Amino acid sequence: MLSVNNRKTEKLLFGFLLFTLFWLPIPLGANRPWAWALMQISIFCISASLMAFHFRTVTVVVRQYRVFVLLWVLFLAWQLLNLIPLPTSLVSSLRPEKLLPEYANVPTGASWLPLSFDVGQSQIVFLKSLCYCLLFFCVLALVRSTSRLKFVLITISASGIFQAIYGSLEVLSGIEYSLVFKQSVTHIATGSFIYKNHFANYLLLSLSAALGYLIASLGEDDGLSKRERLRRWLKFWLGNKVLFRIGIIIMVIALVMSRSRMGNTAFFVSMTITAALGLWYFKPRQKSYVALFISMLVIDIMIVSSVFGLNEVKQRLEQTDLTNESRDEVVTDVLPLLSEYPLIGTGGGTFYTVYPQLQSESIQHFYDHAHNEYLQFSIEFGVIGALLMGVFVLFCGINAFKAFQQRHHPLPRGAAFACFMAIIGMAMHSSVDFPLQAPANSAIFITLLALGAMSNRIRVRKSTTRK
């Protein structure tokens, strides 16, 4: 009876995880304190329940993915270096700027101080990092079957489709304010997000999951007759998966309507590169796979996107002029911080605190983020902290790439495709913006990384190899 109860508990936790992933983007991309607090409570509760009721599963996951455990532990410990109180005399010698009034309100007579330039923000970022760490391992612990892997991909895709429909209808309806949060609505689609580039990045991640699901659902067509292949293709287009395909088209439309230059570029480039890798490495090569991406190029990009404003995005790209952009000047301004605090950085979440002290007079806008995740991570967490996260993402990508080469079943291939496409798209988008600063985007990206990490290890039942 205990094992039955444990299975029920595991199913409940998995369902709660899916529910959490779905609602995360709805409250403004979870980019409000109360929203990310709810996210943290949800993930912490799932993690505590796993430890209490499925400790053996947790230990197996930790043992299997010990490299990822080590990277996360080191990254979290590295953040704590800026949060641990040190003697004021030591702080004054290591970081004398910390004692200046414009950087921090130092209590009179304080004998112990942390190194972070903004302790409150660094604590918030640390809790977020801990939440993302636990989310990664919750996915590894709960997604132990191919059916659950499909459910995760479907949930992320469904959330993206919901956002795409909501964002598109807001713009097309002509309303002035959004129905839920009373935000102003313009001709640019933002969904339930405030920032259009966060919305575009979320759609990029959702599209990665949706394409991964379609690949996982294609089935093997090696050795089938032409009639059987035609029957399977017709079944695909006449079955419920055609609704999923329509959902992808809607997400592409919403992505174009976001008018995000790098969001659209990152999607089309990452999809093309990942699809080409799949075409090269997937053995046996499926004709249904080739047909899927030909239809993506023809229907989504050439026909549908052009109707809903792809030309406007193209014009924005052509008219991009660095002389009219101040993002490059921000990068120039903050580069000295890398040489001044190269190891442990200024502390998580401190960019908006330290940048005003270096901001050029020519920059009139307020920048609370660097519009370059690589630079901001290196400044806040130090080069070593940024490298730890870079190696973590790299290892997830390597596992996904191995699944490309070694796995023959569509399900691991689909998970690997979703992860690899998300990594390429996020790598491109992060070079000119701050998509990871939206907790909903970070959580979905971490989930897809977990699917990529397990794609080369997840077991597939023989009965599901051909449908």
Side-chain angles (χ1 to χ4, degrees):
M1 183 63 69
L2 183 61
S3 61
V4 174
N5 290 335
N6 281 349
R7 284 197 294 269
K8 289 182 178 179
T9 304
E10 189 183 33
K11 288 181 180 180
L12 180 62
L13 292 176
F14 178 67
F16 189 48
L17 175 65
L18 296 182
F19 173 72
T20 302
L21 293 177
F22 185 86
W23 70 256
L24 266 178
I26 295 177
L28 306 177
N31 202 15
R32 292 294 183 271
W34 62 268
W36 71 60
L38 285 176
M39 175 190 72
Q40 291 168 1
I41 292 172
S42 299
I43 301 303
F44 292 160
C45 287
I46 295 173
S47 304
S49 299
L50 279 173
M51 290 291 293
F53 299 104
H54 300 279
F55 185 75
R56 182 177 297 179
T57 301
V58 173
T59 55
V60 170
V61 169
V62 170
R63 187 165 56 250
Q64 286 181 336
Y65 299 93
R66 52 186 174 274
V67 174
F68 296 100
V69 173
L70 177 63
L71 289 171
W72 271 114
V73 169
L74 288 175
F75 179 64
L76 293 172
W78 201 254
Q79 288 189 55
L80 286 176
L81 291 178
N82 272 303
L83 287 171
I84 298 173
L86 300 174
T88 304
S89 57
L90 180 60
V91 173
S92 62
S93 60
L94 293 176
R95 191 165 291 181
E97 299 87 353
K98 164 72 178 178
L99 303 179
L100 298 178
E102 59 264 28
Y103 277 116
N105 295 320
V106 181
T108 305
S111 56
W112 294 78
L113 289 173
L115 289 172
S116 172
F117 283 112
D118 193 325
V119 178
Q121 286 297 318
S122 295
Q123 290 172 343
I124 290 173
V125 171
F126 177 79
L127 286 176
K128 286 182 181 178
S129 300
L130 178 60
C131 176
Y132 299 144
C133 169
L134 294 175
L135 172 61
F136 181 80
F137 291 104
C138 282
V139 174
L140 293 178
L142 290 172
V143 184
R144 307 285 286 178
S145 65
T146 52
S147 60
R148 289 190 178 183
L149 190 152
K150 272 192 173 184
F151 275 121
V152 173
L153 294 175
I154 289 173
T155 300
I156 296 174
S157 305
S159 179
I161 293 171
F162 173 80
Q163 286 292 322
I165 294 174
Y166 175 69
S168 302
L169 289 180
E170 269 193 337
V171 174
L172 297 175
S173 65
I175 60 176
E176 294 184 3
Y177 297 96
S178 61
L179 300 176
V180 181
F181 296 102
K182 301 300 179 181
Q183 301 294 323
S184 59
V185 177
T186 65
H187 67 287
I188 297 174
T190 59
S192 63
F193 292 76
I194 296 295
Y195 187 38
K196 66 178 183 180
N197 287 324
H198 284 169
F199 174 62
N201 186 263
Y202 189 83
L203 290 178
L204 162 67
L205 298 174
S206 300
L207 282 162
S208 301
L211 290 173
Y213 171 75
L214 282 185
I215 292 172
S217 305
L218 287 176
E220 298 179 11
D221 54 15
D222 185 46
L224 298 179
S225 65
K226 291 183 179 180
R227 176 179 292 184
E228 289 172 327
R229 286 173 181 165
L230 178 61
R231 184 183 302 166
R232 175 171 291 181
W233 188 242
L234 289 175
K235 183 179 179 181
F236 173 83
W237 284 106
L238 297 177
N240 56 9
K241 291 185 179 64
V242 70
L243 298 177
F244 212 83
R245 184 67 183 87
I246 293 172
I248 290 178
I249 295 175
I250 294 174
M251 282 194 282
V252 173
I253 291 172
L255 178 60
V256 173
M257 292 178 67
S258 72
R259 306 295 189 262
S260 172
R261 289 168 291 185
M262 185 52 79
N264 281 272
T265 302
F267 164 66
F268 294 127
V269 172
S270 62
M271 184 190 71
T272 303
I273 292 175
T274 312
L277 287 173
L279 185 65
W280 182 264
Y281 285 107
F282 286 174
K283 305 296 181 184
R285 190 171 299 157
Q286 298 170 282
K287 293 184 179 180
S288 54
Y289 174 86
V290 179
L292 171 64
F293 286 99
I294 290 177
S295 73
M296 285 286 297
L297 292 172
V298 174
I299 298 176
D300 297 48
I301 299 177
M302 296 183 182
I303 300 177
V304 176
S305 299
S306 61
V307 175
F308 287 90
L310 187 61
N311 289 332
E312 293 185 29
V313 178
K314 181 181 177 183
Q315 289 175 4
R316 286 199 70 209
L317 284 169
E318 292 174 346
Q319 294 170 3
T320 300
D321 187 358
L322 289 178
T323 59
N324 298 324
E325 295 274 353
S326 55
R327 299 182 189 184
D328 58 319
E329 296 179 42
V330 175
V331 173
T332 304
D333 286 345
V334 299
L335 279 177
L337 290 174
L338 284 178
S339 57
E340 193 169 354
Y341 311 104
L343 293 179
I344 63 174
T346 59
T350 59
F351 178 84
Y352 88 103
T353 303
V354 297
Y355 176 63
Q357 315 305 321
L358 302 170
Q359 185 171 342
S360 302
E361 295 181 0
S362 59
I363 300 178
Q364 303 300 320
H365 301 289
F366 173 73
Y367 282 87
D368 53 352
H369 297 293
H371 286 267
N372 185 312
E373 293 284 23
Y374 305 106
L375 181 61
Q376 184 162 340
F377 267 60
S378 298
I379 290 172
E380 293 184 351
F381 304 121
V383 176
I384 294 178
L387 282 176
L388 286 171
M389 279 292 95
V391 172
F392 164 74
V393 175
L394 179 63
F395 278 12
C396 292
I398 290 174
N399 277 18
F401 188 72
K402 287 181 179 178
F404 268 67
Q405 295 177 305
Q406 300 172 5
R407 303 304 296 268
H408 299 290
H409 193 277
L411 280 165
R413 287 179 174 182
F417 187 99
C419 173
F420 210 82
M421 178 176 167
I423 289 175
I424 296 175
M426 187 64 77
M428 293 181 62
H429 206 172
S430 295
S431 65
V432 295
D433 224 305
F434 48 97
L436 289 172
Q437 302 303 320
N441 293 10
S442 293
I444 298 302
F445 184 52
I446 288 292
T447 302
L448 293 176
L449 289 177
L451 297 187
M454 72 171 64
S455 62
N456 199 40
R457 298 190 180 193
I458 191 167
R459 293 181 180 180
V460 180
R461 293 181 181 178
K462 294 182 179 180
S463 58
T464 63
T465 56
R466 183 165 296 183
K467 292 184 179 180

